C-alpha cells in the first residue's frame, strides 16, 4: 500500500533533519562561551534595539541585532541553548527513570502496586499541566533546580502510563513465562526480559520528553518564573520580544525560531524513533 | 443496568480524583516555606499585624484543620477570600470562567472544522500529493504546542499582516455595557454585530493557537477511521450505485467513522482547556488562566486553590460527559 511505503521512507529524512538540528544545537551549547561574539549579559545602552545585520542602521558587531538594553541577541540565543539543553537532559532523564520504574512496577507486578500507581496517574491527569508547573514553581521558588523538579513531578505519568501498558502486555508473552519456568526471579525477569523489550519505547519517550522540557522551561521563563530575570533564557527573550514586537521584531523572532526548531526536532526525532522501533511499520 | 452500574462507578472514581486533587493542592501550597501573609504586608509591619492577618485567613491552624474548614466551606460554595484582590474567590473565579469557556468552545469549533476538513479532503484525494501535504502539515501542527503557535500567529497576523488584535478580550473604546460575562454570546443575542466582530477579532488568534494541535489530531484519527470504513462492503455498494465520491464519504462513511474520533476529541478537549492558561497570558486575554498566573505570582493561596479545583472539576466533568455520550451513541455498549 502507498501509505505504508510512504511511512517507511519518510522517517529517514525526518530523523536526519531533526537529528541534524539537535547536533548543531548541542555544539552551540557546548561552545557558547567561545563562539558567542559578546557577553550575553553585557548591556550597551548606546546600542539598544539595533536591527540584524542586513537591515539599514545595523551594527555588524551585532549580527542578529540587540534588545532594548543593548544585549546581543545572538549571544543570548547561544547561551540560552545551554540552559534549555541542560534542563532538557537532566529533567528528561530523571522523569524517565522515575516514570519508567513506576510503570514497570505497575505493569509487571500488578496487584495493589498497580492500583495505587494507576490511581495516582488518574489524579495527576486531572491537573492542567501548565497550571501545575506554575503552582510548583511558586511553591519551590525560581531557579533551575525548581524547574527540573517541577518537570519531573508533572511528567512522570507520561512514562508510567505507556510503560505500564507495555510491561503488562509483555508480561503475558510466552518468553516471560519460560523465564519463570527456568526459575528466574521476579525481579530478574523484570530487568533481563521485560526491560530490554520496552527500552525502545523508553528511548522514544525520552526524546519526546526532552522537547517537552524545553517548552516547559520556555513557558516558565516567559511568565518570569524561571532561572532569573536577566539570565539568557529563550522564554525570557520571547517575553521581552512580545512586548516590543512592533518596535523590534528580531528580539522575538530569533529566539522563537530557535525554540520552534528545537521543539519540532525533538518531537520529530521521538516520533521517528518510535516508528523506527515499531516492528509493524518496519 | 450495565450502563447504570458503569455510571455509578465512573462517578465514584471522579469523586476520588477530585478529593485527591484538592488534598494535593492544599498540602503542596502549605508545606513549603514562605509566608504569603508577610508578602502582602508593607515592610515594617509588626509581628502582631502578621498574627492578626494569619488568624483572619485561618493560617494559624494546623493543616488538617485548615483543610476541613476549607472543604466544609467549599461544599457550601464558599471558596474563601482572595488575599491579593480581597474579594470572594467564588465571585472572582465565576466572573472569569465565561471568558475561558467562550475561548475554549471557539477553539474546539475551529479544531473540529479545520481537522474535519483536512480529514475529508485527504480521504477524497487519497493517494495523491494532496494527502501527503495534509499529512506533513498535520505532523508539524502536532509537534509544536499551542504556546508556540500563538507566538507564530502574533508575528504573522498581528505584526506582519495585522488582521486581528493581539491582546485583550474587547476594545475598551467600544464602551458597551454587558449584563453577563459571556461577551461573545451576549453581543450576538443582543444583535450588536459591531461589538461581536470586535470580540471575535480579539479571540480568533488565541482560539486558533489552541485549535491547531487538536485539529491535527482530529484530522489524523478521522482520516484513519474513514480509510477503514471506505473498504467496507456497503461503501462499495454505494459506489456501484453510482453515488459521487464526495457524497459517499460524507453521507456513507463519515457517520460510521466518527465515533472513535469523538471519544478522543473529548479527552483532547481537556488538554485544550489546560492550554488556555498560557495562551490567555500570551494574548493578555482576561480569563481564568491569566488570573491563575497572577495568583501564583502573588502567592494568593485561596485564589490558586479555587482556580485549580475548578480546572480539575472541568477536566473530570468533560471526561465524564464524553464517557456518557460514547455509551449513549455506541449501540454495542447500550445493549451490553
Amino acid at each position: 500500500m502507498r501509505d505504508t511505503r510512504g511511512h517507511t521512507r519518510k522517517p529517514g529524512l525526518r530523523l536526519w533533519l531533526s537529528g541534524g538540528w539537535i547536533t548543531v544545537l548541542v555544539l552551540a551549547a557546548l561552545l557558547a562561551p567561545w563562539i558567542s561574539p559578546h557577553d550575553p549579559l553585557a548591556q550597551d545602552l548606546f546600542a539598544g534595539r539595533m536591527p540584524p545585520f542586513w537591515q539599514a542602521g545595523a551594527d555588524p558587531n551585532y549580527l542578529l541585532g540587540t534588545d532594548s538594553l543593548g544585549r546581543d541577541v545572538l549571544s543570548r540565543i547561544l547561551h540560552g541553548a545551554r540552559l534549555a539543553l541542560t534542563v532538557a537532559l537532566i529533567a528528561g532523564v530523571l522523569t524517565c527513570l522515575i516514570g519508567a520504574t513506576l510503570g514497570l512496577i505497575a505493569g509487571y507486578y500488578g496487584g495493589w502496586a498497580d492500583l495505587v500507581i494507576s490511581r495516582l496517574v488518574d489524579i495527576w491527569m486531572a491537573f492542567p499541566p501548565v497550571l501545575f508547573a506554575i503552582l510548583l514553581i511558586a511553591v519551590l521558588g525560581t531557579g533551575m533546580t525548581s524547574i527540573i523538579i517541577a518537570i519531573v513531578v508533572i511528567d512522570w505519568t507520561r512514562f508510567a502510563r505507556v510503560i505500564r501498558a507495555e510491561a503488562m502486555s509483555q508480561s503475558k508473552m510466552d518468553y516471560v513465562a519460560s523465564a519463570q519456568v527456568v526459575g528466574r526471579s521476579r525481579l530478574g525477569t523484570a530487568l533481563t526480559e521485560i526491560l530490554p523489550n520496552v527500552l525502545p519505547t523508553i528511548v522514544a519517550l525520552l526524546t519526546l520528553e526532552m522537547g517537552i522540557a524545553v517548552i516547559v522551561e520556555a513557558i516558565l521563563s516567559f511568565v518570569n518564573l524561571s532561572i532569573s530575570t536577566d539570565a539568557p533564557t529563550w522564554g525570557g527573550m520571547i517575553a521581552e520580544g512580545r512586548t516590543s514586537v512592533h518596535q523590534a521584531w528580531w528580539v522575538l523572532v530569533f529566539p522563537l525560531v530557535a525554540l520552534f526548531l528545537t521543539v519540532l526536532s525533538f518531537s520529530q526525532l521521538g516520533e521517528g524513533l518510535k516508528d523506527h522501533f515499531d516492528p509493524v511499520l518496519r | 443496568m450495565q450502563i447504570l452500574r458503569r455510571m455509578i462507578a465512573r462517578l465514584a472514581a471522579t469523586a476520588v480524583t477530585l478529593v485527591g486533587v484538592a488534598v494535593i493542592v492544599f498540602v503542596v501550597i502549605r508545606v513549603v516555606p514562605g509566608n504569603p501573609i508577610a508578602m502582602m504586608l508593607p515592610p515594617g509591619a509588626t509581628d502582631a499585624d502578621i498574627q492578626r492577618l494569619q488568624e483572619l485567613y485561618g493560617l494559624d491552624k494546623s493543616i488538617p484543620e485548615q483543610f476541613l474548614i476549607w472543604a466544609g466551606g467549599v461544599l457550601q460554595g464558599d471558596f474563601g477570600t482572595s488575599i491579593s484582590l480581597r474579594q470572594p474567590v467564588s465571585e472572582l473565579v465565576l466572573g472569569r470562567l465565561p471568558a475561558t469557556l467562550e475561548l475554549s468552545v471557539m477553539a474546539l469549533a475551529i479544531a473540529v472544522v479545520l481537522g474535519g476538513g483536512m480529514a475529508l479532503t485527504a480521504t477524497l484525494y487519497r493517494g495523491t500529493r494532496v494527502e501527503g501535504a495534509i499529512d506533513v502539515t498535520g505532523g508539524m501542527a502536532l509537534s509544536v504546542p499551542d504556546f508556540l503557535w500563538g507566538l507564530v500567529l502574533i508575528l504573522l497576523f498581528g505584526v506582519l499582516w495585522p488582521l486581528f488584535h493581539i491582546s485583550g478580550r474587547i476594545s475598551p473604546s467600544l464602551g458597551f455595557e454587558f449584563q453577563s460575562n459571556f461577551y461573545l454570546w451576549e453581543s450576538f443575542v443582543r444583535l450588536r454585530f459591531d461589538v461581536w466582530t470586535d470580540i471575535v477579532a480579539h479571540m480568533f488568534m488565541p482560539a486558533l493557537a489552541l485549535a491547531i494541535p487538536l485539529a491535527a489530531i482530529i484530522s489524523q484519527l478521522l482520516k484513519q477511521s474513514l480509510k477503514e470504513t471506505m473498504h467496507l462492503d456497503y461503501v462499495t455498494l454505494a459506489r456501484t450505485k453510482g453515488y459521487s465520491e464526495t457524497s459517499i464519504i460524507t453521507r456513507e462513511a463519515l457517520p460510521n467513522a466518527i465515533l472513535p474520533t469523538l471519544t478522543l476529541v473529548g479527552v483532547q478537549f481537556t488538554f485544550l482547556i489546560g492550554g488556555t492558561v498560557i495562551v490567555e497570558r500570551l494574548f493578555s486575554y482576561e480569563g481564568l488562566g491569566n488570573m491563575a498566573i497572577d495568583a501564583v505570582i502573588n502567592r494568593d493561596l485561596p485564589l490558586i486553590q479555587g482556580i485549580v479545583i475548578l480546572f480539575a472539576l472541568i477536566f473530570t466533568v468533560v471526561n465524564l460527559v464524553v464517557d456518557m455520550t460514547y455509551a449513549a451513541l455506541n449501540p454495542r455498549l447500550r445493549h451490553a
Side-chain angles (χ1 to χ4, degrees), chain A residues 11-263:
Chain A
L13 182 67
R14 202 161 62 156
L15 286 179
W16 279 112
L17 282 179
S18 43
W21 172 256
I22 303 283
T23 314
V24 169
L25 201 70
V26 169
L27 286 177
L30 288 174
L31 301 175
W34 296 279
I35 56 174
S36 293
H38 297 268
D39 177 347
L41 302 180
Q43 304 182 1
D44 182 350
L45 294 177
F46 295 101
R49 289 192 184 147
M50 298 285 263
F53 70 92
W54 66 86
Q55 288 211 326
D59 181 339
N61 271 326
Y62 298 107
L63 275 181
L64 299 184
T66 60
D67 65 11
S68 60
L69 297 173
R71 294 175 296 192
D72 182 38
V73 169
L74 176 62
S75 307
R76 288 176 73 75
I77 289 179
L78 291 171
H79 279 84
R82 265 170 107 82
L83 295 172
L85 287 183
T86 312
V87 170
L89 191 68
I90 303 179
V93 169
L94 286 178
T95 312
C96 174
L97 281 178
I98 295 174
T101 310
L102 288 174
L104 210 56
I105 294 174
Y108 180 59
Y109 287 92
W112 65 266
D114 183 28
L115 214 67
V116 171
I117 292 171
S118 300
R119 195 75 256 163
L120 269 181
V121 170
D122 281 352
I123 293 177
W124 247 246
M125 299 288 288
F127 280 101
V130 176
L131 192 53
F132 197 8
I134 292 167
L135 176 72
L136 283 171
I137 294 298
V139 156
L140 298 166
T142 53
M144 193 184 272
T145 325
S146 309
I147 295 175
I148 291 169
I149 295 176
I151 293 172
V152 176
V153 169
I154 294 165
D155 263 355
W156 65 271
T157 53
R158 234 179 255 280
F159 287 84
R161 260 187 13 246
V162 179
I163 301 300
R164 170 183 173 269
E166 285 254 315
M168 209 173 241
S169 69
Q170 292 287 342
S171 65
K172 293 194 178 72
M173 302 270 192
D174 287 342
Y175 74 91
V176 175
S178 5
Q180 309 247 278
V181 170
V182 298
R184 195 76 62 73
S185 70
R186 294 279 286 175
L187 184 66
T189 320
L191 291 180
T192 58
E193 305 294 331
I194 308 253
L195 186 60
N197 279 293
V198 295
L199 204 57
T201 313
I202 293 184
V203 172
L205 280 178
L206 174 61
T207 316
L208 291 174
E209 184 61 38
M210 287 169 76
I212 293 167
V214 170
I215 195 81
V216 170
E217 195 277 320
I219 286 177
L220 288 174
S221 39
F222 179 80
V223 295
N224 217 344
L225 285 170
S226 176
I227 298 163
S228 91
T229 32
D230 56 24
T233 56
W234 292 347
M237 297 177 76
I238 288 171
E240 207 225 304
R242 165 73 177 87
T243 55
S244 63
V245 67
H246 292 289
Q247 298 87 38
W249 55 267
W250 54 90
V251 184
L252 174 59
V253 169
F254 294 123
L256 178 60
V257 168
L259 180 61
F260 195 95
L261 288 178
T262 308
V263 170

Side-chain angles (χ1 to χ4, degrees), chain B residues 4-232:
Chain B
L4 199 67
R5 208 174 304 148
R6 248 173 76 93
M7 270 165 69
I8 291 170
R10 277 290 276 122
L11 278 176
T14 306
V16 172
T17 307
L18 280 178
V19 173
V21 168
V23 171
I24 289 173
V25 175
F26 205 87
V27 173
V28 160
I29 322 188
R30 275 171 181 74
V31 287
V32 278
N35 188 340
I37 296 292
M39 290 178 69
M40 59 183 285
L41 284 169
T46 61
D47 283 352
D49 291 336
I50 295 177
Q51 187 66 33
R52 218 172 42 238
L53 264 178
Q54 278 193 325
E55 276 165 29
L56 185 65
Y57 287 102
L59 293 170
D60 53 338
K61 300 192 173 66
S62 76
I63 290 180
E65 250 181 300
Q66 287 184 40
F67 183 75
L68 286 180
I69 293 172
W70 178 79
V74 165
L75 290 177
Q76 295 163 28
D78 174 15
F79 282 79
T81 308
S82 154
I83 295 178
S84 60
L85 300 168
R86 301 175 197 220
Q87 284 177 50
V89 169
S90 46
E91 244 173 58
L92 288 167
V93 165
L94 290 180
R96 287 289 187 101
L97 181 62
T100 300
L101 284 183
E102 283 191 341
L103 183 64
S104 313
V105 170
M106 189 173 184
L108 181 66
I110 295 176
V112 168
V113 171
L114 216 64
M118 278 165 73
L120 291 176
T121 316
T123 312
L124 193 58
Y125 296 99
R126 58 191 176 282
T128 67
R129 273 165 199 276
V130 177
E131 191 195 357
I134 288 178
D135 282 350
V136 172
T137 317
M140 278 259 300
L142 202 55
S143 299
V144 176
D146 40 25
F147 171 66
L148 284 181
W149 286 124
L151 284 161
V152 171
L153 290 174
I154 287 180
L155 278 172
L156 290 181
F157 303 113
V159 180
L160 261 180
W161 186 25
L163 280 179
F164 300 100
H165 296 281
I166 57 174
S167 63
R169 192 177 173 203
I170 186 171
S171 300
S173 55
L174 282 175
F176 183 68
E177 288 287 328
F178 285 99
Q179 272 147 27
S180 75
N181 284 322
F182 288 96
Y183 288 5
L184 189 70
W185 174 245
E186 193 185 329
S187 60
F188 184 75
V189 173
R190 285 168 64 182
L191 305 178
R192 285 293 303 268
F193 294 114
D194 53 329
V195 181
W196 189 79
T197 318
D198 180 74
I199 297 169
V200 170
H202 278 87
M203 282 173 71
F204 186 70
M205 287 215 297
L208 184 59
L210 289 164
I212 289 174
L214 181 56
I217 298 177
I218 293 179
S219 148
Q220 280 184 357
L221 203 81
L222 187 59
K223 196 189 97 179
Q224 186 60 37
S225 16
L226 275 173
K227 201 165 237 172
E228 282 158 19
T229 318
M230 293 304 279
H231 291 298
L232 296 181

